Amino acid sequence: GTATCLIVVCVCACVHAPECTDGYHWDPQTEHCKDINECETIPDACKGEMKCFNHYGGYLCLPRSTSLIPAPEPPITPAEPLNPCPLGYEPQGNSCVDIDECERHEHDCQPSQECINSVGAFTCQCPDGYRKVGTECIDIDECRYRYCQHRCVNVPGSFSCQCEPGFQLAGNNRSCIDVNECEMGAPCSQRCYNTYGTFLCRCDQGYELGPDGFECKDIDECSYSSYLCQYQCVNEPGKFSCVCPEGYRLLGTRMCQDINECETGEHACTETQNCVNIHGRYQCVDKNSCQEPYIQVSDNRCVCPVSNPACRELPFSIVHRYMSITSERSVPSDIFQIQATSVSARAYNTFRIRSGDENGDFYIRQINNISAMLVLARAVSGPREYTLDLEMVSINPLVNYQNNYQTSSALRLSIYVGPYTF
């Protein structure tokens, strides 16, 4: 018969794992290429102060201060049927149309990134203030670009500008403009002057700035000098004033002038008295000041009659005069001139202090035959009162050749020394 032979051929096929691109390895469990974490597999992948950041297909070395938004692991999707269209397209009838990966969520953008569809592809856009490095979004340090006039503070995704004290941000939030502290309640107690970036406190006249630079304190001008006022200085807020003692009035702003109460009528003298003005006050003297054996012949003049035996050793006439001088007057000082009113022919006249100068505070300097000067010899302090009898002795040889006829007259001078040097 016919013999049939069956030949069986066995074909052995060796199945190899698919090859992955650099930075990926094949995962037999998921049957997909999986990213290699080089930061774990490569010892000291980054040197110095740099930090290793893994990303798909590689790794990055960035500063440790870098703010990084990590990307999630890409989802593992089941194998899809063969797509005859180019990448980013899908078949629709007999043609290929663009796939909107953003709408279908078929993209690998990070949650912080915005997916933007394009023809045949898509892009992942980082938020404002970040830049894309690989698949990661890294914060942009805007402060490196000197956007701010004074100080820049970088924050993740943004920055802020700050100004130095005395300035404030302008409307563009970058420039700094001067602050007028004087209009914003600067703590100056009196006057405020705005300057660039700060302010200055100043004081009114009569005040000085305190240690804190804000408060003004009164200047005690009276403590600086004893010559500001003739009598007494009185300090007041921001100024000073001069006052005078009783019996004086202020002349200008510093000097004191005696008030003549006899002229102003501010006295208490009676009709039988004369008012004599002296420094700081007045004196009432009797209009008839003649004492026995003298009799009054006119205002201020008394005579002693020659017919009265009691007048033999006394001056024939006495004239009353009054004057006032200040305390501590410089010496020697001429204070009063004596002048003869009537002189006989060829009479020889001498002048002397008859009484009232027991301490020798005065002396007479004769000027000529008819006049002499009363001189203050020593400085005297008041209040004090002197009554000096200034005598003029006249010798006339023609009247009595043998006895040289001698007569005398006196001037009774009342000197009032005021209590002050003015």
Side-chain angles (χ1 to χ4, degrees):
T2 302
T4 301
C5 295
L6 179 62
I7 300 175
V8 178
V9 179
C10 294
V11 180
C12 295
C14 295
V15 179
H16 297 280
E19 292 186 1
C20 298
T21 59
D22 291 342
Y24 294 85
H25 68 89
W26 177 255
D27 185 356
Q29 293 182 354
T30 60
E31 296 184 350
H32 283 80
C33 290
K34 187 176 182 180
D35 177 56
I36 299 172
N37 190 344
E38 293 86 354
C39 295
E40 295 179 355
T41 59
I42 301 176
D44 297 330
C46 297
K47 305 296 183 181
E49 295 298 322
M50 307 299 284
K51 184 178 179 181
C52 180
F53 291 90
N54 185 62
H55 75 101
Y56 299 120
Y59 67 96
L60 298 172
C61 291
L62 300 173
R64 294 183 182 274
S65 60
T66 301
S67 175
L68 189 67
I69 302 176
E73 291 288 339
I76 300 174
T77 57
E80 297 180 355
L82 180 64
N83 185 2
C85 294
L87 184 66
Y89 292 84
E90 64 181 0
Q92 191 179 67
N94 296 326
S95 61
C96 294
V97 295
D98 174 58
I99 299 173
D100 190 344
E101 296 88 352
C102 298
E103 183 177 346
R104 294 184 182 183
H105 300 288
E106 297 176 359
H107 59 83
D108 58 354
C109 295
Q110 301 179 26
S112 62
Q113 297 174 345
E114 180 183 1
C115 178
I116 300 177
N117 186 63
S118 59
V119 178
F122 66 92
T123 57
C124 297
Q125 182 172 312
C126 291
D128 290 341
Y130 291 84
R131 60 187 176 91
K132 195 173 182 183
V133 178
T135 59
E136 307 294 338
C137 289
I138 300 176
D139 174 54
I140 298 173
D141 186 1
E142 295 87 352
C143 296
R144 296 175 57 187
Y145 302 100
R146 298 183 179 179
Y147 288 143
C148 301
Q149 182 179 357
H150 283 184
R151 289 182 298 182
C152 179
V153 179
N154 186 60
V155 295
S158 183
F159 70 98
S160 63
C161 295
Q162 296 179 353
C163 296
E164 300 293 341
F167 296 86
Q168 65 182 7
L169 277 176
N172 59 12
N173 289 326
R174 295 184 179 183
S175 302
C176 293
I177 57 176
D178 175 57
V179 174
N180 189 340
E181 296 87 350
C182 300
E183 295 179 353
M184 300 177 65
C188 298
S189 63
Q190 290 187 353
R191 287 185 287 171
C192 178
Y193 293 94
N194 185 61
T195 60
Y196 189 69
T198 184
F199 65 97
L200 296 174
C201 295
R202 291 293 181 264
C203 300
D204 297 331
Q205 185 175 359
Y207 294 85
E208 61 184 355
L209 204 61
D212 61 358
F214 305 132
E215 293 294 327
C216 293
K217 61 178 184 178
D218 175 57
I219 297 174
D220 185 0
E221 296 89 350
C222 298
S223 64
Y224 288 126
S225 174
S226 60
Y227 297 101
L228 291 176
C229 299
Q230 190 174 37
Y231 175 63
Q232 184 178 350
C233 178
V234 178
N235 186 59
E236 299 176 16
K239 60 179 181 178
F240 71 95
S241 61
C242 297
V243 297
C244 295
E246 185 179 1
Y248 293 82
R249 61 186 168 198
L250 198 63
L251 181 64
T253 58
R254 296 183 57 251
M255 309 301 289
C256 291
Q257 184 183 52
D258 172 57
I259 297 174
N260 191 335
E261 296 86 354
C262 300
E263 291 184 355
T264 61
E266 301 174 11
H267 63 83
C269 298
T270 65
E271 293 183 357
T272 61
Q273 294 176 318
N274 287 323
C275 178
V276 178
N277 184 65
I278 57 181
H279 287 90
R281 58 192 181 95
Y282 65 94
Q283 187 76 18
C284 294
V285 297
D286 293 334
K287 291 183 177 180
N288 184 2
S289 54
C290 300
Q291 300 175 356
E292 290 290 340
Y294 287 90
I295 60 174
Q296 185 177 16
V297 294
S298 63
D299 290 344
N300 299 328
R301 188 166 185 267
C302 306
V303 297
C304 197
V306 293
S307 59
N308 190 339
C311 297
R312 186 169 298 175
E313 301 297 328
L314 298 176
F316 172 72
S317 66
I318 297 177
V319 176
H320 293 268
R321 291 287 185 268
Y322 309 92
M323 69 171 298
S324 179
I325 62 174
T326 59
S327 288
E328 301 301 327
R329 187 165 177 167
S330 59
V331 292
S333 178
D334 297 347
I335 61 172
F336 190 84
Q337 184 172 351
I338 310 165
Q339 185 76 33
T341 56
S342 61
V343 180
S344 300
R346 297 192 179 183
Y348 175 70
N349 301 311
T350 60
F351 298 86
R352 64 171 182 160
I353 300 175
R354 180 183 177 92
S355 62
D357 187 28
E358 290 75 13
N359 297 324
D361 295 332
F362 305 89
Y363 68 86
I364 290 287
R365 185 182 76 248
Q366 187 158 343
I367 299 173
N368 50 43
N369 190 47
I370 60 172
S371 64
M373 181 66 70
L374 177 65
V375 181
L376 178 66
R378 296 193 300 184
V380 292
S381 299
R384 190 172 179 181
E385 186 176 332
Y386 293 90
T387 300
L388 302 180
D389 278 355
L390 309 179
E391 186 178 25
M392 181 183 73
V393 180
S394 298
I395 300 175
N396 193 340
L398 296 179
V399 176
N400 191 329
Y401 177 76
Q402 294 180 348
N403 295 327
N404 289 333
Y405 181 73
Q406 176 177 312
T407 60
S408 68
S409 60
L411 186 146
R412 184 160 293 168
L413 180 62
S414 296
I415 302 175
Y416 301 94
V417 182
Y420 309 105
T421 59
F422 48 87

